[in-house]
Amino acid sequence: MIRLHASEMSGNAHKVRMALAFLGLEWDEQATDAAARRTDAFLALNPMAQIPVYIEGDFILRDSQAILAYLAARHRPGDWDGHTPEERGAIMVWLSHAANEIFNGPALLRAKRLFGWSVDTERAAAVTARILPVVEAHLTGSDWLVGGRPTIADFAASPYLALAPDGGIDLAQWPAIRDWTGRIAALPDFPAMPGWPAEGA
Protein backbone atom coordinates (compact mmCIF):
# COMPACT_ATOMS: atom_id res chain seq x y z
CA MET A 1 0.00 0.00 0.00
CA ILE A 2 1.18 3.50 -0.84
CA ARG A 3 1.37 5.92 2.08
CA LEU A 4 1.32 9.67 1.55
CA HIS A 5 2.20 12.12 4.28
CA ALA A 6 0.23 15.22 3.40
CA SER A 7 -2.17 17.89 4.59
CA GLU A 8 -5.52 18.84 3.15
CA MET A 9 -4.55 22.42 2.32
CA SER A 10 -1.09 21.76 0.87
CA GLY A 11 -0.88 22.49 -2.83
CA ASN A 12 2.33 20.49 -3.04
CA ALA A 13 0.60 17.47 -1.53
CA HIS A 14 -2.30 17.92 -3.94
CA LYS A 15 0.04 17.59 -6.91
CA VAL A 16 0.77 14.02 -5.82
CA ARG A 17 -2.82 13.36 -4.78
CA MET A 18 -3.96 14.26 -8.31
CA ALA A 19 -1.43 11.97 -9.95
CA LEU A 20 -2.37 9.03 -7.73
CA ALA A 21 -6.08 9.59 -8.36
CA PHE A 22 -5.64 9.91 -12.13
CA LEU A 23 -3.61 6.69 -12.12
CA GLY A 24 -6.37 4.89 -10.22
CA LEU A 25 -3.97 3.94 -7.43
CA GLU A 26 -5.07 3.45 -3.85
CA TRP A 27 -3.16 5.15 -1.06
CA ASP A 28 -3.30 5.69 2.65
CA GLU A 29 -3.06 9.41 3.34
CA GLN A 30 -1.62 10.35 6.70
CA ALA A 31 -2.47 13.86 7.82
CA THR A 32 0.83 15.42 8.84
CA ASP A 33 0.69 18.84 10.45
CA ALA A 34 3.55 21.19 11.30
CA ALA A 35 4.05 19.65 14.75
CA ALA A 36 4.23 16.13 13.32
CA ARG A 37 6.84 17.27 10.79
CA ARG A 38 9.18 18.21 13.64
CA THR A 39 9.19 14.75 15.21
CA ASP A 40 12.19 12.45 14.94
CA ALA A 41 10.07 9.85 13.19
CA PHE A 42 9.11 12.24 10.41
CA LEU A 43 12.56 13.81 10.11
CA ALA A 44 13.89 10.31 9.48
CA LEU A 45 11.64 10.24 6.41
CA ASN A 46 12.36 13.80 5.30
CA PRO A 47 15.12 15.79 7.00
CA MET A 48 13.71 18.93 5.33
CA ALA A 49 10.56 18.58 7.51
CA GLN A 50 8.32 19.10 4.49
CA ILE A 51 5.35 17.36 2.91
CA PRO A 52 4.53 15.45 0.82
CA VAL A 53 6.45 12.27 1.53
CA TYR A 54 5.66 9.22 -0.60
CA ILE A 55 6.25 5.73 0.79
CA GLU A 56 5.84 2.53 -1.22
CA GLY A 57 7.21 -0.49 0.59
CA ASP A 58 10.81 0.33 1.44
CA PHE A 59 10.96 3.16 -1.09
CA ILE A 60 10.68 6.66 0.34
CA LEU A 61 10.62 9.79 -1.80
CA ARG A 62 10.24 13.43 -0.87
CA ASP A 63 9.55 16.58 -2.91
CA SER A 64 6.37 16.84 -4.95
CA GLN A 65 8.12 17.37 -8.29
CA ALA A 66 10.35 14.32 -7.71
CA ILE A 67 7.34 12.20 -6.76
CA LEU A 68 5.50 13.26 -9.92
CA ALA A 69 8.54 12.35 -12.02
CA TYR A 70 8.71 8.93 -10.34
CA LEU A 71 5.01 8.21 -10.83
CA ALA A 72 5.18 9.22 -14.47
CA ALA A 73 8.24 7.07 -15.16
CA ARG A 74 6.74 4.09 -13.35
CA HIS A 75 3.15 4.22 -14.57
CA ARG A 76 2.80 6.55 -17.59
CA PRO A 77 6.24 6.81 -19.22
CA GLY A 78 6.25 9.12 -22.20
CA ASP A 79 2.62 10.13 -21.91
CA TRP A 80 3.14 12.04 -18.66
CA ASP A 81 6.86 12.86 -18.76
CA GLY A 82 7.51 13.42 -22.46
CA HIS A 83 7.70 11.30 -25.60
CA THR A 84 10.67 13.20 -27.02
CA PRO A 85 13.71 14.99 -25.63
CA GLU A 86 12.01 18.25 -26.55
CA GLU A 87 8.88 17.40 -24.58
CA ARG A 88 10.89 16.19 -21.62
CA GLY A 89 12.86 19.43 -21.57
CA ALA A 90 9.70 21.51 -21.81
CA ILE A 91 8.10 19.58 -18.95
CA MET A 92 11.15 20.18 -16.79
CA VAL A 93 10.81 23.92 -17.38
CA TRP A 94 7.36 23.83 -15.80
CA LEU A 95 8.47 21.64 -12.90
CA SER A 96 11.16 24.24 -12.25
CA HIS A 97 8.62 27.09 -12.44
CA ALA A 98 6.38 25.20 -10.01
CA ALA A 99 9.17 24.85 -7.45
CA ASN A 100 10.51 28.36 -7.91
CA GLU A 101 8.41 31.23 -9.26
CA ILE A 102 4.96 29.74 -8.62
CA PHE A 103 5.86 28.72 -5.09
CA ASN A 104 7.76 31.90 -4.25
CA GLY A 105 5.00 34.06 -5.70
CA PRO A 106 1.34 32.94 -5.56
CA ALA A 107 1.93 30.13 -3.06
CA LEU A 108 3.66 32.38 -0.53
CA LEU A 109 0.98 35.06 -0.85
CA ARG A 110 -1.59 32.37 -0.07
CA ALA A 111 0.45 31.03 2.85
CA LYS A 112 0.66 34.48 4.40
CA ARG A 113 -3.08 35.11 4.17
CA LEU A 114 -4.29 31.64 5.14
CA PHE A 115 -1.64 30.44 7.56
CA GLY A 116 0.10 33.56 8.81
CA TRP A 117 3.50 32.69 7.37
CA SER A 118 6.18 35.35 7.64
CA VAL A 119 6.54 36.38 4.00
CA ASP A 120 8.26 39.21 2.17
CA THR A 121 5.02 40.29 0.55
CA GLU A 122 6.63 42.80 -1.78
CA ARG A 123 9.02 40.22 -3.16
CA ALA A 124 6.30 37.55 -3.48
CA ALA A 125 4.07 40.02 -5.31
CA ALA A 126 6.92 40.91 -7.67
CA VAL A 127 7.61 37.24 -8.44
CA THR A 128 3.88 36.74 -9.03
CA ALA A 129 3.80 39.69 -11.41
CA ARG A 130 6.59 38.09 -13.45
CA ILE A 131 5.26 34.54 -13.65
CA LEU A 132 1.53 35.03 -14.23
CA PRO A 133 1.93 36.73 -17.65
CA VAL A 134 4.29 33.96 -18.72
CA VAL A 135 1.79 31.23 -17.84
CA GLU A 136 -1.14 33.18 -19.30
CA ALA A 137 0.66 33.75 -22.61
CA HIS A 138 1.71 30.10 -22.83
CA LEU A 139 -1.83 28.84 -22.22
CA THR A 140 -3.51 31.30 -24.56
CA GLY A 141 -4.63 29.05 -27.40
CA SER A 142 -3.37 25.88 -25.68
CA ASP A 143 -5.35 23.57 -23.43
CA TRP A 144 -2.28 22.08 -21.72
CA LEU A 145 1.26 23.17 -20.94
CA VAL A 146 3.14 20.60 -23.06
CA GLY A 147 2.23 18.27 -25.89
CA GLY A 148 -1.49 18.96 -26.14
CA ARG A 149 -2.33 16.58 -23.29
CA PRO A 150 -2.19 16.56 -19.47
CA THR A 151 1.31 15.84 -18.17
CA ILE A 152 3.12 16.21 -14.89
CA ALA A 153 3.85 19.78 -16.01
CA ASP A 154 0.15 20.55 -15.50
CA PHE A 155 -0.04 18.66 -12.21
CA ALA A 156 3.04 20.44 -10.84
CA ALA A 157 2.19 23.97 -11.92
CA SER A 158 -1.56 24.11 -11.38
CA PRO A 159 -2.37 23.84 -7.65
CA TYR A 160 -0.94 27.12 -6.42
CA LEU A 161 -2.31 28.92 -9.48
CA ALA A 162 -5.79 27.45 -9.02
CA LEU A 163 -5.57 28.49 -5.35
CA ALA A 164 -4.18 31.95 -6.12
CA PRO A 165 -7.43 33.69 -5.09
CA ASP A 166 -6.66 32.55 -1.52
CA GLY A 167 -3.67 34.88 -1.78
CA GLY A 168 -5.67 37.82 -3.09
CA ILE A 169 -5.12 37.22 -6.81
CA ASP A 170 -8.16 37.67 -9.05
CA LEU A 171 -8.04 34.95 -11.70
CA ALA A 172 -10.65 36.83 -13.73
CA GLN A 173 -7.67 38.88 -14.91
CA TRP A 174 -5.99 35.68 -16.11
CA PRO A 175 -8.67 33.83 -18.11
CA ALA A 176 -6.36 31.30 -19.77
CA ILE A 177 -5.02 30.23 -16.36
CA ARG A 178 -8.52 30.12 -14.90
CA ASP A 179 -9.84 28.00 -17.77
CA TRP A 180 -6.84 25.64 -17.59
CA THR A 181 -7.28 24.98 -13.88
CA GLY A 182 -10.95 24.36 -14.60
CA ARG A 183 -10.04 21.78 -17.23
CA ILE A 184 -7.86 19.99 -14.71
CA ALA A 185 -10.70 19.98 -12.19
CA ALA A 186 -12.92 18.43 -14.88
CA LEU A 187 -10.59 15.47 -15.51
CA PRO A 188 -12.03 12.10 -14.45
CA ASP A 189 -11.24 11.22 -10.83
CA PHE A 190 -9.95 14.70 -9.96
CA PRO A 191 -9.72 14.84 -6.15
CA ALA A 192 -11.46 17.91 -4.80
CA MET A 193 -9.47 20.45 -2.82
CA PRO A 194 -10.77 23.39 -0.75
CA GLY A 195 -10.38 26.59 -2.73
CA TRP A 196 -9.94 24.98 -6.16
CA PRO A 197 -12.74 26.31 -8.38
CA ALA A 198 -14.68 23.92 -10.56
CA GLU A 199 -14.66 24.08 -14.35
CA GLY A 200 -16.34 27.26 -15.53
CA ALA A 201 -16.29 28.89 -12.09
Side-chain angles (χ1 to χ4, degrees):
M1 171 65 75
I2 295 167
R3 283 192 292 143
L4 181 68
H5 286 270
S7 73
E8 182 184 36
M9 298 296 285
S10 167
N12 280 331
H14 200 67
K15 299 173 188 183
V16 178
R17 195 179 290 123
M18 283 193 295
L20 292 171
F22 294 151
L23 288 169
L25 299 175
E26 295 184 359
W27 73 96
D28 174 30
E29 186 160 323
Q30 300 193 355
T32 309
D33 62 15
R37 296 197 291 272
R38 292 191 293 270
T39 64
D40 290 342
F42 186 81
L43 291 171
L45 299 175
N46 184 358
M48 298 302 293
Q50 297 170 339
I51 53 172
V53 173
Y54 175 97
I55 303 172
E56 186 178 354
D58 295 330
F59 177 63
I60 302 169
L61 190 61
R62 57 184 170 91
D63 183 83
S64 55
Q65 276 67 241
I67 299 167
L68 288 178
Y70 164 76
L71 290 172
R74 183 176 178 90
H75 298 283
R76 296 289 290 274
D79 190 35
W80 273 13
D81 55 5
H83 290 298
T84 64
E86 291 79 9
E87 283 192 351
R88 288 192 288 275
I91 287 168
M92 286 303 302
V93 168
W94 290 104
L95 267 62
S96 178
H97 280 319
N100 290 288
E101 292 86 0
I102 293 172
F103 182 81
N104 289 306
L108 287 187
L109 293 176
R110 173 179 180 263
K112 179 176 178 61
R113 292 187 75 177
L114 288 191
F115 312 122
W117 284 22
S118 177
V119 170
D120 183 339
T121 306
E122 185 175 342
R123 180 179 182 276
V127 173
T128 299
R130 289 200 302 273
I131 190 61
L132 289 183
V134 172
V135 183
E136 180 75 11
H138 188 84
L139 285 167
T140 299
S142 299
D143 285 348
W144 308 104
L145 289 175
V146 179
R149 65 188 186 280
T151 68
I152 57 172
D154 301 284
F155 309 154
S158 59
Y160 287 120
L161 294 176
L163 301 168
D166 288 342
I169 298 166
D170 183 3
L171 286 184
Q173 300 177 28
W174 307 99
I177 294 174
R178 180 199 59 207
D179 293 348
W180 165 66
T181 61
R183 281 191 293 276
I184 294 170
L187 290 172
D189 299 318
F190 174 82
M193 181 178 186
W196 190 310
E199 183 182 27

